[in-house]
Structures are given as C-alpha cells and as structure tokens.
Short mmCIF file of all heavy atoms in Angstrom, two decimals:
data_model
loop_
_atom_site.label_atom_id
_atom_site.label_comp_id
_atom_site.label_asym_id
_atom_site.label_seq_id
_atom_site.Cartn_x
_atom_site.Cartn_y
_atom_site.Cartn_z
N LYS A 1 35.15 -7.78 57.83
CA LYS A 1 35.89 -6.66 58.41
C LYS A 1 35.45 -6.44 59.85
O LYS A 1 34.30 -6.64 60.19
CB LYS A 1 35.62 -5.39 57.61
CG LYS A 1 36.35 -5.35 56.29
CD LYS A 1 36.35 -3.95 55.75
CE LYS A 1 37.27 -3.87 54.56
NZ LYS A 1 37.39 -2.53 54.06
N ARG A 2 36.39 -6.01 60.66
CA ARG A 2 36.10 -5.69 62.05
C ARG A 2 35.35 -4.37 62.10
O ARG A 2 35.70 -3.43 61.38
CB ARG A 2 37.44 -5.57 62.78
CG ARG A 2 37.32 -5.42 64.25
CD ARG A 2 38.74 -5.52 64.84
NE ARG A 2 38.78 -4.72 66.02
CZ ARG A 2 39.38 -3.55 66.11
NH1 ARG A 2 40.02 -3.05 65.09
NH2 ARG A 2 39.36 -2.88 67.24
N PRO A 3 34.30 -4.24 62.94
CA PRO A 3 33.56 -2.98 62.98
C PRO A 3 34.42 -1.86 63.55
O PRO A 3 35.31 -2.11 64.37
CB PRO A 3 32.38 -3.28 63.90
CG PRO A 3 32.85 -4.40 64.75
CD PRO A 3 33.79 -5.21 63.89
N ARG A 4 34.15 -0.65 63.12
CA ARG A 4 34.87 0.50 63.65
C ARG A 4 34.41 0.79 65.06
O ARG A 4 33.30 0.48 65.44
CB ARG A 4 34.61 1.73 62.78
CG ARG A 4 35.24 1.64 61.44
CD ARG A 4 35.03 2.98 60.72
NE ARG A 4 35.73 2.98 59.48
CZ ARG A 4 36.96 3.47 59.32
NH1 ARG A 4 37.58 4.00 60.32
NH2 ARG A 4 37.55 3.42 58.15
N SER A 5 35.26 1.42 65.82
CA SER A 5 34.89 1.84 67.17
C SER A 5 33.83 2.93 67.07
O SER A 5 33.81 3.71 66.12
CB SER A 5 36.10 2.40 67.90
OG SER A 5 37.08 1.41 68.04
N VAL A 6 32.98 2.98 68.06
CA VAL A 6 31.95 4.02 68.12
C VAL A 6 32.36 5.00 69.20
O VAL A 6 32.63 4.62 70.34
CB VAL A 6 30.57 3.40 68.46
CG1 VAL A 6 29.54 4.48 68.64
CG2 VAL A 6 30.15 2.41 67.39
N TRP A 7 32.43 6.25 68.85
CA TRP A 7 32.79 7.29 69.80
C TRP A 7 31.60 8.21 69.98
O TRP A 7 31.10 8.78 69.02
CB TRP A 7 33.98 8.11 69.29
CG TRP A 7 35.27 7.36 69.26
CD1 TRP A 7 35.57 6.27 68.50
CD2 TRP A 7 36.43 7.63 70.02
NE1 TRP A 7 36.85 5.85 68.74
CE2 TRP A 7 37.40 6.68 69.67
CE3 TRP A 7 36.75 8.60 70.97
CZ2 TRP A 7 38.67 6.66 70.23
CZ3 TRP A 7 38.01 8.59 71.51
CH2 TRP A 7 38.94 7.62 71.15
N SER A 8 31.13 8.34 71.19
CA SER A 8 30.05 9.26 71.51
C SER A 8 30.69 10.43 72.24
O SER A 8 31.31 10.24 73.29
CB SER A 8 29.01 8.58 72.39
OG SER A 8 28.01 9.48 72.75
N VAL A 9 30.57 11.60 71.69
CA VAL A 9 31.27 12.75 72.25
C VAL A 9 30.26 13.83 72.62
O VAL A 9 29.41 14.20 71.82
CB VAL A 9 32.28 13.33 71.22
CG1 VAL A 9 32.97 14.55 71.79
CG2 VAL A 9 33.27 12.26 70.83
N LYS A 10 30.34 14.31 73.85
CA LYS A 10 29.49 15.42 74.31
C LYS A 10 30.27 16.69 74.06
O LYS A 10 31.36 16.87 74.58
CB LYS A 10 29.20 15.25 75.80
CG LYS A 10 28.56 16.46 76.46
CD LYS A 10 27.08 16.49 76.22
CE LYS A 10 26.36 17.49 77.09
NZ LYS A 10 26.33 18.83 76.65
N VAL A 11 29.75 17.54 73.21
CA VAL A 11 30.41 18.81 72.92
C VAL A 11 29.47 19.94 73.31
O VAL A 11 28.26 19.75 73.39
CB VAL A 11 30.78 18.93 71.41
CG1 VAL A 11 31.78 17.89 71.02
CG2 VAL A 11 29.55 18.83 70.55
N PRO A 12 30.03 21.13 73.58
CA PRO A 12 29.16 22.25 73.91
C PRO A 12 28.16 22.51 72.79
O PRO A 12 28.50 22.47 71.61
CB PRO A 12 30.13 23.43 74.07
CG PRO A 12 31.44 22.79 74.37
CD PRO A 12 31.44 21.49 73.64
N LYS A 13 26.90 22.74 73.17
CA LYS A 13 25.86 22.99 72.17
C LYS A 13 26.05 24.35 71.50
O LYS A 13 25.80 24.51 70.33
CB LYS A 13 24.48 22.94 72.83
CG LYS A 13 24.14 21.56 73.34
CD LYS A 13 22.85 21.57 74.10
CE LYS A 13 22.65 20.20 74.74
NZ LYS A 13 21.74 20.23 75.84
N ASP A 14 26.46 25.32 72.28
CA ASP A 14 26.74 26.64 71.74
C ASP A 14 27.64 27.38 72.73
O ASP A 14 28.09 26.80 73.71
CB ASP A 14 25.44 27.41 71.45
CG ASP A 14 24.54 27.53 72.68
OD1 ASP A 14 25.08 27.69 73.80
OD2 ASP A 14 23.32 27.47 72.53
N GLU A 15 27.87 28.66 72.47
CA GLU A 15 28.81 29.41 73.31
C GLU A 15 28.32 29.60 74.75
O GLU A 15 29.10 29.94 75.62
CB GLU A 15 29.15 30.77 72.67
CG GLU A 15 27.98 31.74 72.59
CD GLU A 15 27.07 31.50 71.39
OE1 GLU A 15 27.37 30.64 70.55
OE2 GLU A 15 26.05 32.20 71.28
N ARG A 16 27.03 29.35 75.00
CA ARG A 16 26.53 29.49 76.37
C ARG A 16 26.94 28.32 77.26
O ARG A 16 26.98 28.44 78.46
CB ARG A 16 25.00 29.61 76.38
CG ARG A 16 24.53 30.93 75.77
CD ARG A 16 23.05 30.93 75.64
NE ARG A 16 22.72 29.93 74.62
CZ ARG A 16 21.49 29.61 74.26
NH1 ARG A 16 20.48 30.17 74.81
NH2 ARG A 16 21.27 28.70 73.33
N GLU A 17 27.24 27.17 76.66
CA GLU A 17 27.66 26.01 77.44
C GLU A 17 29.17 26.07 77.61
O GLU A 17 29.89 26.27 76.65
CB GLU A 17 27.23 24.71 76.77
CG GLU A 17 27.41 23.51 77.67
CD GLU A 17 26.71 22.28 77.13
OE1 GLU A 17 26.32 22.26 75.95
OE2 GLU A 17 26.57 21.34 77.89
N ASN A 18 29.64 25.87 78.81
CA ASN A 18 31.04 26.06 79.15
C ASN A 18 31.86 24.82 78.79
O ASN A 18 31.84 23.82 79.50
CB ASN A 18 31.14 26.37 80.64
CG ASN A 18 32.53 26.76 81.06
OD1 ASN A 18 33.50 26.48 80.38
ND2 ASN A 18 32.62 27.42 82.20
N GLY A 19 32.60 24.90 77.69
CA GLY A 19 33.44 23.79 77.25
C GLY A 19 34.54 23.46 78.24
O GLY A 19 34.88 22.31 78.45
N ALA A 20 35.10 24.49 78.90
CA ALA A 20 36.15 24.25 79.89
C ALA A 20 35.60 23.47 81.08
O ALA A 20 36.27 22.58 81.61
CB ALA A 20 36.74 25.58 80.35
N ALA A 21 34.37 23.75 81.48
CA ALA A 21 33.76 23.01 82.59
C ALA A 21 33.53 21.55 82.19
O ALA A 21 33.74 20.65 83.00
CB ALA A 21 32.45 23.67 83.00
N LEU A 22 33.11 21.32 80.94
CA LEU A 22 32.93 19.95 80.46
C LEU A 22 34.26 19.19 80.51
O LEU A 22 34.32 18.04 80.93
CB LEU A 22 32.38 19.93 79.04
CG LEU A 22 30.94 20.38 78.85
CD1 LEU A 22 30.60 20.44 77.37
CD2 LEU A 22 29.99 19.45 79.56
N LEU A 23 35.33 19.85 80.07
CA LEU A 23 36.65 19.23 80.10
C LEU A 23 37.09 18.94 81.53
O LEU A 23 37.60 17.85 81.82
CB LEU A 23 37.67 20.13 79.39
CG LEU A 23 39.09 19.58 79.30
CD1 LEU A 23 39.11 18.26 78.53
CD2 LEU A 23 39.99 20.59 78.62
N ASP A 24 36.87 19.88 82.44
CA ASP A 24 37.24 19.67 83.84
C ASP A 24 36.48 18.48 84.43
O ASP A 24 37.06 17.68 85.18
CB ASP A 24 36.96 20.93 84.67
CG ASP A 24 37.92 22.06 84.37
OD1 ASP A 24 38.98 21.80 83.77
OD2 ASP A 24 37.59 23.22 84.73
N GLU A 25 35.19 18.34 84.10
CA GLU A 25 34.40 17.21 84.59
C GLU A 25 34.99 15.89 84.09
O GLU A 25 35.11 14.92 84.84
CB GLU A 25 32.95 17.31 84.11
CG GLU A 25 32.14 18.39 84.77
CD GLU A 25 30.79 18.57 84.10
OE1 GLU A 25 30.35 17.67 83.33
OE2 GLU A 25 30.16 19.61 84.34
N ARG A 26 35.35 15.85 82.81
CA ARG A 26 35.90 14.61 82.23
C ARG A 26 37.25 14.27 82.85
O ARG A 26 37.54 13.11 83.14
CB ARG A 26 36.08 14.74 80.71
CG ARG A 26 34.85 14.99 79.89
CD ARG A 26 33.67 14.14 80.30
NE ARG A 26 32.53 14.32 79.44
CZ ARG A 26 31.61 15.28 79.58
NH1 ARG A 26 31.72 16.17 80.53
NH2 ARG A 26 30.59 15.35 78.77
N ILE A 27 38.09 15.28 83.07
CA ILE A 27 39.40 15.03 83.66
C ILE A 27 39.24 14.51 85.09
O ILE A 27 39.93 13.58 85.50
CB ILE A 27 40.29 16.30 83.61
CG1 ILE A 27 40.67 16.61 82.16
CG2 ILE A 27 41.52 16.14 84.48
CD1 ILE A 27 41.37 17.94 81.96
N GLU A 28 38.31 15.09 85.84
CA GLU A 28 38.10 14.62 87.21
C GLU A 28 37.57 13.19 87.22
O GLU A 28 38.00 12.36 88.02
CB GLU A 28 37.13 15.55 87.95
CG GLU A 28 36.98 15.22 89.41
CD GLU A 28 38.31 15.17 90.18
OE1 GLU A 28 39.21 15.98 89.89
OE2 GLU A 28 38.44 14.30 91.06
N ARG A 29 36.67 12.85 86.31
CA ARG A 29 36.16 11.48 86.21
C ARG A 29 37.29 10.53 85.83
O ARG A 29 37.39 9.42 86.36
CB ARG A 29 35.02 11.41 85.18
CG ARG A 29 34.44 10.04 85.00
CD ARG A 29 33.68 9.60 86.23
NE ARG A 29 33.20 8.25 86.02
CZ ARG A 29 33.30 7.28 86.90
NH1 ARG A 29 33.81 7.52 88.07
NH2 ARG A 29 32.87 6.08 86.63
N LEU A 30 38.14 10.96 84.93
CA LEU A 30 39.30 10.16 84.53
C LEU A 30 40.22 9.91 85.71
O LEU A 30 40.69 8.79 85.92
CB LEU A 30 40.05 10.91 83.42
CG LEU A 30 41.13 10.20 82.68
CD1 LEU A 30 40.59 8.95 81.99
CD2 LEU A 30 41.73 11.13 81.64
N ARG A 31 40.45 10.93 86.51
CA ARG A 31 41.28 10.80 87.71
C ARG A 31 40.66 9.77 88.65
O ARG A 31 41.33 8.89 89.18
CB ARG A 31 41.42 12.14 88.41
CG ARG A 31 42.29 12.07 89.66
CD ARG A 31 42.12 13.32 90.52
NE ARG A 31 42.43 14.54 89.84
CZ ARG A 31 43.61 15.15 89.90
NH1 ARG A 31 44.59 14.62 90.58
NH2 ARG A 31 43.80 16.28 89.28
N GLU A 32 39.32 9.84 88.87
CA GLU A 32 38.62 8.90 89.75
C GLU A 32 38.78 7.46 89.28
O GLU A 32 38.91 6.54 90.07
CB GLU A 32 37.13 9.24 89.83
CG GLU A 32 36.81 10.53 90.54
CD GLU A 32 35.37 10.94 90.36
OE1 GLU A 32 34.57 10.16 89.79
OE2 GLU A 32 35.01 12.06 90.79
N LEU A 33 38.74 7.27 87.95
CA LEU A 33 38.83 5.93 87.40
C LEU A 33 40.26 5.39 87.36
O LEU A 33 40.49 4.23 87.69
CB LEU A 33 38.24 5.91 85.98
CG LEU A 33 36.74 6.12 85.86
CD1 LEU A 33 36.36 6.31 84.40
CD2 LEU A 33 35.99 4.96 86.47
N LEU A 34 41.20 6.21 86.92
CA LEU A 34 42.55 5.72 86.67
C LEU A 34 43.45 5.65 87.90
O LEU A 34 44.27 4.74 87.99
CB LEU A 34 43.23 6.59 85.62
CG LEU A 34 42.84 6.32 84.18
CD1 LEU A 34 43.65 7.21 83.24
CD2 LEU A 34 43.04 4.87 83.81
N CYS A 35 43.34 6.59 88.82
CA CYS A 35 44.26 6.60 89.96
C CYS A 35 44.24 5.28 90.73
O CYS A 35 45.31 4.72 91.00
CB CYS A 35 43.98 7.80 90.86
SG CYS A 35 44.61 9.34 90.15
N PRO A 36 43.06 4.73 91.09
CA PRO A 36 43.08 3.45 91.81
C PRO A 36 43.65 2.31 90.96
O PRO A 36 44.38 1.46 91.46
CB PRO A 36 41.61 3.18 92.12
CG PRO A 36 40.92 4.48 91.97
CD PRO A 36 41.72 5.28 91.00
N VAL A 37 43.35 2.32 89.66
CA VAL A 37 43.83 1.24 88.78
C VAL A 37 45.35 1.29 88.64
O VAL A 37 46.01 0.26 88.65
CB VAL A 37 43.16 1.37 87.39
CG1 VAL A 37 43.79 0.42 86.40
CG2 VAL A 37 41.67 1.12 87.50
N LEU A 38 45.90 2.49 88.53
CA LEU A 38 47.34 2.65 88.33
C LEU A 38 48.11 2.76 89.65
O LEU A 38 49.34 2.87 89.64
CB LEU A 38 47.61 3.87 87.45
CG LEU A 38 47.01 3.81 86.05
CD1 LEU A 38 47.20 5.13 85.32
CD2 LEU A 38 47.62 2.67 85.25
N GLY A 39 47.40 2.77 90.77
CA GLY A 39 48.06 2.85 92.07
C GLY A 39 48.58 4.24 92.40
O GLY A 39 49.49 4.37 93.20
N TRP A 40 47.99 5.25 91.80
CA TRP A 40 48.41 6.63 92.05
C TRP A 40 47.59 7.23 93.18
O TRP A 40 46.46 6.86 93.40
CB TRP A 40 48.22 7.49 90.81
CG TRP A 40 49.10 7.14 89.64
CD1 TRP A 40 50.19 6.34 89.64
CD2 TRP A 40 48.93 7.59 88.31
NE1 TRP A 40 50.74 6.26 88.39
CE2 TRP A 40 49.97 7.02 87.54
CE3 TRP A 40 48.02 8.39 87.67
CZ2 TRP A 40 50.12 7.26 86.19
CZ3 TRP A 40 48.16 8.64 86.31
CH2 TRP A 40 49.21 8.07 85.58
N GLN A 41 48.20 8.22 93.86
CA GLN A 41 47.47 8.98 94.87
C GLN A 41 46.47 9.91 94.17
O GLN A 41 46.65 10.27 93.01
CB GLN A 41 48.44 9.82 95.71
CG GLN A 41 49.45 9.00 96.49
CD GLN A 41 48.77 8.13 97.54
OE1 GLN A 41 47.84 8.56 98.19
NE2 GLN A 41 49.25 6.90 97.67
N ASP A 42 45.43 10.32 94.90
CA ASP A 42 44.41 11.20 94.32
C ASP A 42 44.93 12.59 93.99
O ASP A 42 44.31 13.33 93.24
CB ASP A 42 43.22 11.35 95.28
CG ASP A 42 42.43 10.07 95.41
OD1 ASP A 42 42.55 9.21 94.53
OD2 ASP A 42 41.68 9.95 96.40
N ASP A 43 46.10 12.95 94.55
CA ASP A 43 46.60 14.31 94.35
C ASP A 43 47.66 14.41 93.26
O ASP A 43 48.41 15.39 93.20
CB ASP A 43 47.14 14.87 95.66
CG ASP A 43 48.31 14.05 96.22
OD1 ASP A 43 48.58 12.93 95.69
OD2 ASP A 43 48.94 14.51 97.18
N VAL A 44 47.73 13.42 92.35
CA VAL A 44 48.70 13.51 91.26
C VAL A 44 48.33 14.72 90.38
O VAL A 44 47.17 15.12 90.34
CB VAL A 44 48.75 12.22 90.39
CG1 VAL A 44 49.16 11.04 91.20
CG2 VAL A 44 47.44 11.99 89.69
N PRO A 45 49.30 15.27 89.68
CA PRO A 45 48.99 16.39 88.80
C PRO A 45 47.90 16.01 87.79
O PRO A 45 47.84 14.87 87.32
CB PRO A 45 50.31 16.68 88.09
CG PRO A 45 51.35 16.19 89.05
CD PRO A 45 50.73 14.99 89.71
N THR A 46 47.05 16.95 87.49
CA THR A 46 45.89 16.72 86.63
C THR A 46 46.26 16.08 85.31
O THR A 46 45.55 15.23 84.80
CB THR A 46 45.17 18.06 86.36
OG1 THR A 46 44.79 18.62 87.60
CG2 THR A 46 43.96 17.87 85.50
#
C-alpha cells in the first residue's frame, strides 16, 4: 500500500494565540510562493 500523506498543522494553542493572525501569515506565504509560479502580480486578491 502507498503510505498516507503526512500533514503537520500549526493550530492555536489556546484562545490567547491569534488564529486569524496565523491564517493571515499562511495566506501571505502562499501568495509569496504561488504568484511567481502562476505568473500573477503581487497585488492579486487574497
């Protein structure tokens, strides 16, 4: 059998950690990685 994919997920530890900020960081990193690959401008909608 083919091994299952491994997903490592960073989630907020508790209500003091800002989940929205974590999501914003990931989206911005995604934008940095994908825009050059897909030929998009940096100012495409989030």
